Amino acid sequence: MDKEERKTINQGQEDEMEIYGYNLCRWKLAIVSLGVVCTGGFLLLLLYWMPEWRVKATCIRAAVKDCEVVLLRTTDEFRMWFCAKIRFLSLETPPFSSPKSMANEVSNGHAVHLTENLAEENRLEMNKYSQPQSQQIRYFTHHSVKYFWNDTLHNFVFLKGLDEGVSCTSIYEKHSAGLTKGMHAYRKLLYGVNEIAVKVPSVFKLLIKEVLNPFYIFQLFSVILWSTDEYYYYAIAIVIMSVVSIISSLYAIRKQYIMLHDMVAAHSTVRVSVCRVNEEIEEIFSTDLVPGDVMVIPLNGTVMPCDAVLINGTCIVNESMLTGESVPVTKTNLPNPSVDIKGMGDELYSPETHRRHTLFCGTTVIQTRFYTGELVKAIVVRTGFSTSKGQLVRSILYPKPTDFKLYRDAYLFLLCLVAVAGIGFIYTIINSILNEVEVGDIIIESLDIITITVPPALPAAMTAGIVYAQRRLKKVGIFCISPQRINICGQLNLVCFDKTGTLTEDGLDLWGIQRVENTRFLLPEEKVCNEMLVKSQFVACMATCHSLTKIEGVLSGDPLDLKMFEAIGWILEEATEEETALHNRIMPTVVRPPKQLLPESTPAGNQEMVQNCFKLDNTELFELPAIYEIGIVRQFPFSSALQRMSVVARVLGDRKMDAYVKGAPEVIAGLCKPETVPVDFEKVLENYTKQGFRVIALAHRKLESKLTWHKVQNISRDAIENNMDFMGLIIMQNKLKRETPAVLEDLHKANIRTVMVTGDNMLTAVSVARDCGMILPQDKVIIAEALPPKDGKVAKINWHYADTLTQSSDSSAVDSEAIPIKLVHDNLEDLQVTRYHFAMNGKSFSVILEHFQDLVPKLMLHGTVFARMAPDQKTQLVEALQNVDYFVGMCGDGANDCGALKRAHGGISLSELEASVASPFTSKTPSISCVPNLIREGRAALMTSFCVFKFMALYSIIQYFSVTLLYSILSNLGDFQFLFIDLAIILVVVFTMSLNPAWKELVAQRPPSGLISGALLFSVLSQIIICIGFQSLGFFWVKQQTWYKESHPHSDTQEAFNTTGSLYGNSSHLYNETNPDRHNIENYENTTVFFISSFQYLIVAIAFSKGKPFRQPCYKNYFFVVSLIILYVFILFIMLHPVASIDQILQIVCVPYQWRVTMLIIVLVNAFVSIVVEESVDWWGKCCLSWALNCRKKMPKAKYMYLAQELLVDPEWPPKPQTTTEAKALVKENGSCQIITIT
């Protein structure tokens, strides 16, 4: 049965979980109920905080198939527990007996198949999901996702849409007809309502959840305890603090919920038209959409309520909500493999692979283009939280916990305080019993020591520094949605940068073109807009091969396409909706040169005439005047996976159509006939890319005359994009932002590594990295070119040294494999001194991740340039860097970086668009200068957290020791003494010491990541010893004084005052007669301990308020300085010059003036010793730590540091040129590989 008891769901995915089945047990429930009553509800709270304990305490194990409750545990490093109740869904609603109704949900819950015997298939399908007897499906909901029991797989599965396991052929053949109403109703039952429901919890619900936080429960316990001991004032003060804290917390949480709800709800319910099987159009609410519905996209556009694949027509879409890029994107219909010349019937549809044919939820369709008689249609593939937008919202609603050493150490430290409190608890009980104290008093005093040791104000004090840092970040234009990450940013030691729009300017400038004629490159030309070139194929390609469109009369689209089109000065005209409706085919977009470039031509014919011409397929074309216009017949949009785009166009009057393609030069060259590519292509390309230019190649070919307009509309791009003629290069200049080099230099000085992650060409990226100082002039660049297994050969990596390529003057290409060995050895002699960097593209990165796992950490240690990276590869890179213990920052413009921004320890988006909602930080100004600002503030906040933690620890121990000393004589601190210490001293100091701003520049030194570090522990322990020592000195010394008289509860301690001759003593005596000192507060020991401890709090506050190198000096924190001065003056005044009313309130006794001076001397010596020890603690801490490390020969904790030490003595690393690293034929789990030198 053990196998049935434990299953794994979402296997291999990010949210993989183990699942255990349980059934409710009545006798266990009865015992727990009894326990809850006996513990006064505390057991119920404990079970509320611990889902695992709750389920195990009230249930017994059962098979997952038959269980009533499931217990889930994540398989990541956090191992978090969740529980969910099993629910049942009845399947008896739709009329399945009807042969027209369609009901076949396959075992993974995603595809729908149109077959002849639908009723039979439906019956089989229902059996897969449901119990045969009950006809009910068992399911549970976790994090807004439903998991259904699948009898075929014997597991719970997430109900998918048409986004997995469905071929492109079946999209057309089985899904394009639409659903019957019966099938729609059945699916609605399974998939539920199509909405991304972000419910804003009521204030009451949020309040209950917040109040049940362990911290507030402890505060409630403290308040009740103090009230029973008549400490009403402090109890009220803590209640007020807690109420303020709860209200501010509720306001922040509710504000975030409302913001997210508004973002989602703005367009959650719209009316949409769907096609049914009998071709009727039905209007329904978008919330009723289900996967398989055929949705009609309206002419004037809409906001997409789901993810859908386009099967008819073309759409222009604004995807800024998802990608952060406001450039309109053209979406075309999914290629239909059944009518393609080159069949692709086996290709599976995937929303990511087929992004250019998929309309994503939340994106705005601006315009549609359509066929007359045929509407623009899209098949719904995902709904609700399964959509891309739904997944984004889920990641915000249910974020992964931040794992940071500081927080782990904080819990460990609290446990230590609890242990100390336990010792005090036992001591108090034993001491009280020995002194025959009443049972009620023993219970209150022993519990009171716990509330003293674990201060209720600690969490509020810890968050103060983060709140102040958040405010300072806001002032410099950085907004934060995850304040806890500010501390983590103080630890960043590596930052990944996107290139375009982040390191460089957004726009590209056309530097020039270099055409090819007779397979030879011509000289570069700067001007493209001239009469000589106007009718050339090169300019025709520039005029047609783009995704530009007119929105409200303004040309818009990709910035690169815009620059290219503006450079030739042509005019683009699109058919209006009325013109399109008049014709029986989709109207082409027409481009033509301006009149001045065609002086010999007659005035251009009207659009109607041109488009009538394009209507004709095989008929003779009319003889037209000399109008030179080109119609774009079919467009294959740019694909980042293919690194190219292409169009089919026809010049007015030509019988044959033309295919134009543009894209990455190395890709385009591979699609061209080898004889058309110049022999020096690689050399010319390298020359440009090394200078940092962005290079785009163009190619062309005439299509066969048999290719009709109709065939072109359904042809696959592979059939078009081959056998091309290479036409030349467009050279674009992407300038560095002015601030980029200075910012990167600051980061390097601070020992923070910088990495470039871009979608651009490798050598361009390397060149930009050199220009901006990411790679220094003397550094080596090693390009890792990884090739996947092919034709029975194993995967391999070829290593090239980019900078050993000699700048040869002859025209032959320089092959990196042919570098002379001597030159290589000469350059590698000083490799131990010379730094080296690895550069690779996305394809190589994927191959290395899959086949060379043991090389990944080594490459992460020195990998600097990652080019042609897809969005998911950027995320994988961040993960790989984190796996070697780097604290990774990511800075991007949000365009393709959403995943990486979320995954990084500190992701900062330079885009204010909605996509940046996934990023913890957003910069108002699109400049990377925000990165050093964020790290500086992070370091300041982290150091503030350490200072506050150390101070609160000392506050706990000082007060704990004061109370323990006083308990030994059956005394305690008075109510107003506690109030003065906790409110006037502690809270004021904590909230003002956190105000130190960040240091003005980044330094190479990094703050410690956790509380458990040598210097920090040495600092805390030394201050504890000093404070305990001086408190003990005062406590025992006062007993040695000649005027000292021991006091006991209810005794009159005032007789001694008469011997001093003080008039004040008489008034105090009168007060004492009317208010007997039941708690024995007013005694010499109490007064001495109170004054010394009050000064000690202020002394450690000054000692711990360190400034440089992470924070501004404490004397620049004016609020802190003023607060300390006021407190020092006040305490000195009441100590040296007693005021009757103050002494009466604070329950201080009058002591001889000589003893007051003695206390002042004790305090001054204490201050001197504390500050001297704290100032020397860094030096002593380092010495002790280095001595300990030398003794133990301890390896560095961070994996990357350990690896760096290993690689220093590795003679085989870095790899030399002319070597290849091959994966072993049978790759084992560790991904072992060997280096083979190719001679």
Side-chain angles (χ1 to χ4, degrees), residues 14 322-323 392 395 485 492 494-498 502 755-758 845 866 869-882 887-910 915-921:
E14 190 183 346
L322 283 181
T323 62
L392 176 68
S395 71
R485 296 224 184 192
L492 295 183
L494 184 146
V495 183
C496 298
F497 291 97
D498 182 32
T502 303
V755 170
M756 187 190 293
V757 192
T758 177
F845 180 68
F866 296 85
M869 295 286 274
D872 59 323
Q873 290 172 333
K874 291 182 180 183
T875 310
Q876 289 169 347
L877 173 66
V878 169
E879 285 175 345
L881 289 164
Q882 287 172 335
F887 281 91
V888 183
M890 172 77 199
C891 181
D893 56 7
N896 287 312
D897 313 315
C898 278
L901 288 168
K902 277 193 295 181
R903 176 71 63 206
H905 291 109
I908 183 160
S909 168
L910 302 185
S916 67
V917 81
S919 175
F921 301 95

Coordinates of all heavy atoms in Angstrom, one line a residue, residues 14 322-323 392 395 485 492 494-498 502 755-758 845 866 869-882 887-910 915-921:
E14 N 8.4 23.1 -12.0 CA 8.8 24.0 -10.9 C 8.0 23.8 -9.6 O 8.5 23.9 -8.5 CB 8.7 25.5 -11.4 CG 9.3 26.5 -10.4 CD 9.1 27.9 -10.9 OE1 8.7 28.1 -12.0 OE2 9.3 28.8 -10.1
L322 N 2.3 41.5 -21.0 CA 3.1 40.3 -20.7 C 4.6 40.5 -20.8 O 5.4 40.0 -20.1 CB 2.7 39.1 -21.6 CG 1.4 38.4 -21.3 CD1 1.1 37.3 -22.3 CD2 1.4 37.9 -19.9
T323 N 5.0 41.2 -21.9 CA 6.4 41.3 -22.2 C 7.0 42.6 -21.8 O 8.3 42.7 -21.7 CB 6.6 41.2 -23.8 OG1 6.0 42.3 -24.4 CG2 6.1 39.9 -24.3
L392 N 1.1 34.4 -14.4 CA 1.8 35.6 -13.8 C 1.1 36.0 -12.5 O 1.8 36.3 -11.5 CB 1.8 36.7 -14.9 CG 2.3 38.1 -14.5 CD1 3.8 38.0 -14.3 CD2 2.0 39.1 -15.5
S395 N 1.9 33.6 -9.7 CA 3.3 33.8 -9.2 C 3.3 35.0 -8.2 O 4.2 35.0 -7.3 CB 4.3 34.0 -10.3 OG 4.1 35.3 -10.9
R485 N 13.1 41.7 0.2 CA 14.2 41.5 -0.7 C 15.3 42.6 -0.7 O 16.4 42.5 -1.2 CB 13.7 41.4 -2.2 CG 12.8 40.2 -2.4 CD 13.2 39.5 -3.7 NE 12.3 38.4 -4.0 CZ 12.6 37.5 -4.9 NH1 13.7 37.6 -5.6 NH2 11.7 36.5 -5.1
L492 N 24.1 41.1 -2.9 CA 24.4 40.8 -4.4 C 25.9 40.9 -4.7 O 26.5 41.9 -4.4 CB 23.6 41.8 -5.3 CG 22.1 41.7 -5.2 CD1 21.5 42.7 -6.2 CD2 21.5 40.3 -5.5
L494 N 26.8 39.5 -8.0 CA 26.8 39.3 -9.4 C 25.5 39.9 -10.0 O 24.4 39.7 -9.4 CB 26.8 37.8 -9.8 CG 26.9 37.5 -11.2 CD1 27.8 36.2 -11.4 CD2 25.6 37.2 -11.9
V495 N 25.6 40.7 -11.1 CA 24.4 41.3 -11.7 C 24.4 41.0 -13.2 O 25.4 41.2 -13.9 CB 24.4 42.8 -11.5 CG1 23.1 43.4 -12.1 CG2 24.5 43.2 -10.0
C496 N 23.3 40.4 -13.6 CA 23.1 40.1 -15.0 C 22.4 41.3 -15.7 O 21.4 41.8 -15.1 CB 22.2 38.9 -15.2 SG 22.9 37.4 -14.6
F497 N 22.9 41.8 -16.8 CA 22.3 42.9 -17.5 C 21.8 42.4 -18.9 O 22.5 41.7 -19.6 CB 23.3 44.0 -17.8 CG 23.7 44.7 -16.5 CD1 24.8 44.4 -15.8 CD2 22.9 45.7 -16.0 CE1 25.2 45.0 -14.7 CE2 23.2 46.4 -14.8 CZ 24.4 46.1 -14.2
D498 N 20.6 42.8 -19.3 CA 20.1 42.7 -20.7 C 20.9 43.8 -21.4 O 21.4 44.7 -20.8 CB 18.6 43.0 -20.7 CG 18.1 42.9 -22.1 OD1 18.6 42.0 -22.8 OD2 17.1 43.6 -22.5
T502 N 19.0 48.4 -22.1 CA 19.5 48.4 -20.7 C 20.9 49.0 -20.6 O 21.2 50.0 -20.1 CB 19.5 47.0 -20.1 OG1 18.1 46.5 -20.2 CG2 19.9 47.0 -18.6
V755 N 27.5 40.4 -15.8 CA 27.3 39.4 -16.9 C 26.3 40.0 -17.8 O 25.3 40.7 -17.4 CB 26.7 38.1 -16.3 CG1 26.2 37.1 -17.4 CG2 27.8 37.4 -15.4
M756 N 26.5 39.8 -19.1 CA 25.6 40.3 -20.2 C 24.7 39.1 -20.7 O 25.3 38.1 -21.1 CB 26.3 40.9 -21.3 CG 25.4 41.6 -22.3 SD 26.3 42.1 -23.8 CE 27.4 43.3 -23.2
V757 N 23.4 39.3 -20.7 CA 22.5 38.3 -21.2 C 21.7 39.0 -22.3 O 20.9 39.9 -22.0 CB 21.5 37.8 -20.1 CG1 20.8 36.6 -20.6 CG2 22.3 37.5 -18.9
T758 N 21.8 38.6 -23.6 CA 21.2 39.3 -24.6 C 20.7 38.4 -25.7 O 21.1 37.2 -25.8 CB 22.2 40.3 -25.3 OG1 21.6 41.0 -26.4 CG2 23.5 39.6 -25.7
F845 N 24.4 27.0 -24.7 CA 24.1 27.0 -23.3 C 23.1 25.8 -23.0 O 23.3 25.1 -22.0 CB 23.4 28.3 -22.9 CG 23.0 28.4 -21.5 CD1 24.0 28.4 -20.4 CD2 21.7 28.4 -21.1 CE1 23.6 28.5 -19.1 CE2 21.3 28.5 -19.8 CZ 22.3 28.5 -18.8
F866 N 26.4 36.0 -22.7 CA 25.5 35.0 -23.1 C 24.6 35.6 -24.2 O 23.8 36.4 -23.9 CB 24.7 34.4 -21.9 CG 25.5 33.7 -20.9 CD1 26.2 34.5 -19.9 CD2 25.7 32.4 -20.9 CE1 27.0 33.8 -18.9 CE2 26.5 31.7 -20.0 CZ 27.1 32.5 -19.0
M869 N 20.0 34.5 -26.3 CA 19.4 33.8 -25.2 C 17.8 34.0 -25.3 O 17.4 35.2 -25.3 CB 19.9 34.3 -23.9 CG 21.3 34.0 -23.6 SD 21.7 32.2 -23.3 CE 21.3 32.2 -21.5
A870 N 17.1 32.9 -25.3 CA 15.6 33.0 -25.2 C 15.2 33.3 -23.8 O 16.0 33.1 -22.9 CB 15.1 31.6 -25.7
P871 N 14.0 33.8 -23.6 CA 13.5 34.1 -22.2 C 13.7 33.0 -21.2 O 14.2 33.3 -20.1 CB 12.1 34.4 -22.4 CG 12.0 34.9 -23.8 CD 13.0 34.1 -24.6
D872 N 13.4 31.8 -21.5 CA 13.5 30.7 -20.6 C 15.0 30.3 -20.3 O 15.3 29.9 -19.2 CB 12.7 29.4 -21.0 CG 13.3 28.9 -22.4 OD1 13.6 29.7 -23.2 OD2 13.3 27.7 -22.6
Q873 N 15.8 30.6 -21.3 CA 17.3 30.3 -21.1 C 17.9 31.4 -20.1 O 18.8 31.1 -19.3 CB 18.0 30.4 -22.4 CG 17.7 29.2 -23.3 CD 18.3 29.3 -24.7 OE1 18.5 30.4 -25.2 NE2 18.6 28.2 -25.3
K874 N 17.3 32.6 -20.1 CA 17.8 33.6 -19.2 C 17.5 33.2 -17.7 O 18.3 33.3 -16.8 CB 17.1 35.0 -19.5 CG 17.5 35.6 -20.8 CD 16.9 37.0 -21.0 CE 17.3 37.6 -22.3 NZ 16.7 38.9 -22.5
T875 N 16.3 32.6 -17.6 CA 15.9 32.1 -16.2 C 16.8 31.0 -15.8 O 17.2 30.9 -14.7 CB 14.4 31.6 -16.3 OG1 13.6 32.7 -16.9 CG2 13.9 31.3 -14.9
Q876 N 17.1 30.0 -16.8 CA 18.0 28.9 -16.5 C 19.4 29.4 -16.1 O 20.0 28.8 -15.2 CB 18.1 28.0 -17.7 CG 16.8 27.2 -17.9 CD 16.8 26.5 -19.3 OE1 17.7 26.8 -20.1 NE2 15.9 25.6 -19.5
L877 N 19.8 30.5 -16.7 CA 21.1 31.0 -16.4 C 21.2 31.6 -15.0 O 22.1 31.3 -14.2 CB 21.5 32.1 -17.4 CG 22.8 32.9 -17.1 CD1 24.0 32.0 -17.2 CD2 22.9 34.1 -18.0
V878 N 20.1 32.3 -14.6 CA 20.0 32.8 -13.2 C 20.1 31.7 -12.2 O 20.8 31.7 -11.2 CB 18.8 33.7 -13.1 CG1 18.5 34.0 -11.6 CG2 18.9 35.0 -13.9
E879 N 19.3 30.6 -12.5 CA 19.3 29.4 -11.6 C 20.7 28.8 -11.5 O 21.1 28.4 -10.4 CB 18.3 28.4 -12.1 CG 16.9 28.8 -11.9 CD 15.9 27.9 -12.5 OE1 16.3 27.0 -13.3 OE2 14.7 27.9 -12.1
A880 N 21.4 28.7 -12.7 CA 22.7 28.0 -12.7 C 23.7 28.9 -11.9 O 24.5 28.3 -11.2 CB 23.2 27.9 -14.1
L881 N 23.6 30.2 -11.9 CA 24.5 31.1 -11.1 C 24.2 30.9 -9.7 O 25.0 30.9 -8.8 CB 24.3 32.5 -11.6 CG 24.9 32.9 -13.0 CD1 24.4 34.2 -13.5 CD2 26.5 32.9 -12.9
Q882 N 22.9 30.8 -9.3 CA 22.5 30.7 -7.9 C 22.9 29.3 -7.4 O 23.2 29.2 -6.2 CB 20.9 30.8 -7.8 CG 20.5 32.2 -8.0 CD 19.0 32.4 -8.1 OE1 18.3 31.4 -8.4 NE2 18.4 33.5 -7.7
F887 N 24.8 35.5 -5.2 CA 23.6 36.2 -5.0 C 23.4 37.1 -6.3 O 24.2 38.0 -6.5 CB 23.7 37.2 -3.8 CG 23.6 36.4 -2.5 CD1 24.6 35.9 -1.8 CD2 22.3 36.3 -1.9 CE1 24.5 35.2 -0.6 CE2 22.1 35.6 -0.7 CZ 23.2 35.0 -0.1
V888 N 22.4 36.7 -7.0 CA 22.3 37.2 -8.4 C 21.2 38.3 -8.5 O 20.1 38.2 -8.0 CB 21.8 36.1 -9.4 CG1 21.8 36.6 -10.8 CG2 22.8 34.9 -9.2
G889 N 21.7 39.5 -9.1 CA 20.8 40.5 -9.4 C 20.5 40.5 -10.9 O 21.3 40.0 -11.7
M890 N 19.3 40.9 -11.4 CA 19.0 40.9 -12.8 C 18.4 42.3 -13.1 O 17.5 42.7 -12.5 CB 18.0 39.8 -13.1 CG 17.5 39.8 -14.5 SD 18.7 39.2 -15.7 CE 18.0 39.8 -17.2
C891 N 19.0 42.9 -14.2 CA 18.5 44.2 -14.6 C 18.1 44.1 -16.1 O 18.9 43.8 -16.9 CB 19.5 45.3 -14.4 SG 18.9 46.9 -14.8
G892 N 16.8 44.3 -16.3 CA 16.3 44.3 -17.7 C 15.2 45.2 -18.0 O 14.7 45.8 -17.0
D893 N 14.8 45.4 -19.2 CA 13.7 46.3 -19.5 C 12.4 45.6 -19.5 O 11.4 46.2 -19.9 CB 14.0 47.0 -20.9 CG 14.1 45.9 -22.0 OD1 13.9 44.7 -21.7 OD2 14.4 46.3 -23.2
G894 N 12.3 44.4 -19.0 CA 11.1 43.7 -18.9 C 10.6 43.0 -20.1 O 9.7 42.2 -20.1
A895 N 11.3 43.3 -21.2 CA 10.8 42.8 -22.5 C 10.8 41.2 -22.6 O 9.8 40.7 -23.0 CB 11.6 43.3 -23.6
N896 N 11.9 40.6 -22.3 CA 11.8 39.1 -22.3 C 12.4 38.6 -21.0 O 12.9 37.5 -20.9 CB 12.7 38.6 -23.5 CG 12.0 38.8 -24.8 OD1 10.8 38.5 -24.9 ND2 12.7 39.4 -25.7
D897 N 12.5 39.4 -20.0 CA 13.2 39.1 -18.8 C 12.3 38.7 -17.6 O 12.8 38.6 -16.5 CB 14.1 40.3 -18.4 CG 14.9 40.8 -19.6 OD1 15.4 40.0 -20.3 OD2 14.9 42.0 -19.8
C898 N 11.0 38.7 -17.8 CA 10.1 38.5 -16.7 C 10.5 37.3 -15.8 O 10.6 37.4 -14.6 CB 8.7 38.2 -17.2 SG 7.8 39.8 -17.6
G899 N 10.8 36.1 -16.4 CA 11.1 34.9 -15.6 C 12.4 35.2 -14.8 O 12.5 34.8 -13.7
A900 N 13.4 35.7 -15.5 CA 14.7 35.9 -14.9 C 14.6 37.0 -13.8 O 15.2 36.9 -12.7 CB 15.7 36.4 -15.9
L901 N 13.8 38.0 -14.0 CA 13.6 39.1 -13.0 C 13.0 38.5 -11.7 O 13.3 38.9 -10.6 CB 12.7 40.2 -13.5 CG 13.4 41.1 -14.6 CD1 12.3 42.0 -15.2 CD2 14.4 42.0 -14.0
K902 N 12.0 37.6 -11.9 CA 11.4 36.9 -10.7 C 12.3 36.0 -10.0 O 12.3 35.9 -8.8 CB 10.1 36.2 -11.2 CG 8.9 37.0 -11.4 CD 7.6 36.2 -11.5 CE 7.7 35.3 -12.8 NZ 6.4 34.5 -12.9
R903 N 13.1 35.3 -10.8 CA 14.0 34.2 -10.2 C 15.2 34.8 -9.5 O 15.6 34.2 -8.5 CB 14.4 33.3 -11.4 CG 15.4 32.2 -11.0 CD 14.8 31.1 -10.2 NE 13.8 30.4 -10.9 CZ 12.7 29.8 -10.4 NH1 12.5 29.9 -9.1 NH2 11.8 29.2 -11.1
A904 N 15.7 35.9 -9.9 CA 16.9 36.5 -9.3 C 16.6 36.9 -7.9 O 15.5 37.1 -7.5 CB 17.4 37.7 -10.1
H905 N 17.7 37.0 -7.1 CA 17.5 37.5 -5.7 C 17.0 38.9 -5.7 O 16.3 39.3 -4.8 CB 18.9 37.4 -5.0 CG 19.3 36.0 -4.7 ND1 20.4 35.4 -5.4 CD2 18.8 35.0 -3.9 CE1 20.5 34.1 -4.9 NE2 19.6 33.9 -4.0
G906 N 17.5 39.7 -6.6 CA 17.1 41.1 -6.8 C 16.9 41.4 -8.2 O 17.8 41.8 -8.9
G907 N 15.6 41.3 -8.7 CA 15.3 41.7 -10.1 C 14.8 43.1 -10.2 O 13.9 43.5 -9.4
I908 N 15.4 43.9 -11.0 CA 15.0 45.3 -11.2 C 14.6 45.6 -12.6 O 15.4 45.4 -13.5 CB 16.0 46.3 -10.6 CG1 15.5 47.7 -10.7 CG2 17.4 46.1 -11.3 CD1 16.2 48.7 -9.8
S909 N 13.4 45.9 -12.9 CA 12.9 46.2 -14.2 C 13.0 47.7 -14.5 O 12.6 48.5 -13.7 CB 11.4 45.7 -14.3 OG 10.8 46.2 -15.5
L910 N 13.4 48.0 -15.8 CA 13.5 49.3 -16.2 C 12.3 49.8 -16.9 O 12.2 50.8 -17.5 CB 14.8 49.5 -17.1 CG 16.1 49.2 -16.5 CD1 17.2 49.5 -17.4 CD2 16.3 49.8 -15.1
A915 N 4.1 44.3 -17.1 CA 5.0 43.1 -17.0 C 5.9 43.2 -15.8 O 6.3 42.2 -15.2 CB 5.8 42.9 -18.3
S916 N 6.2 44.5 -15.4 CA 7.1 44.7 -14.3 C 6.5 44.4 -13.0 O 7.2 44.4 -12.0 CB 7.6 46.1 -14.3 OG 6.6 47.0 -14.0
V917 N 5.2 44.0 -13.0 CA 4.5 43.7 -11.7 C 5.2 42.4 -11.2 O 5.1 42.1 -10.0 CB 3.0 43.5 -12.0 CG1 2.7 42.2 -12.6 CG2 2.3 43.7 -10.7
A918 N 5.8 41.6 -12.1 CA 6.4 40.4 -11.6 C 7.8 40.6 -11.0 O 8.4 39.8 -10.3 CB 6.6 39.4 -12.8
S919 N 8.3 41.8 -11.2 CA 9.7 42.1 -10.7 C 9.6 42.7 -9.3 O 8.8 43.6 -9.1 CB 10.3 43.1 -11.7 OG 11.6 43.5 -11.2
P920 N 10.5 42.3 -8.4 CA 10.5 42.8 -7.1 C 10.7 44.3 -7.0 O 10.2 45.0 -6.2 CB 11.6 42.1 -6.3 CG 11.9 40.9 -7.2 CD 11.5 41.2 -8.6
F921 N 11.6 44.8 -8.0 CA 11.9 46.3 -8.0 C 11.6 46.8 -9.4 O 11.8 46.1 -10.4 CB 13.3 46.5 -7.7 CG 13.7 46.0 -6.3 CD1 14.3 44.7 -6.1 CD2 13.5 46.7 -5.2 CE1 14.6 44.2 -4.9 CE2 13.8 46.3 -3.9 CZ 14.4 45.0 -3.8

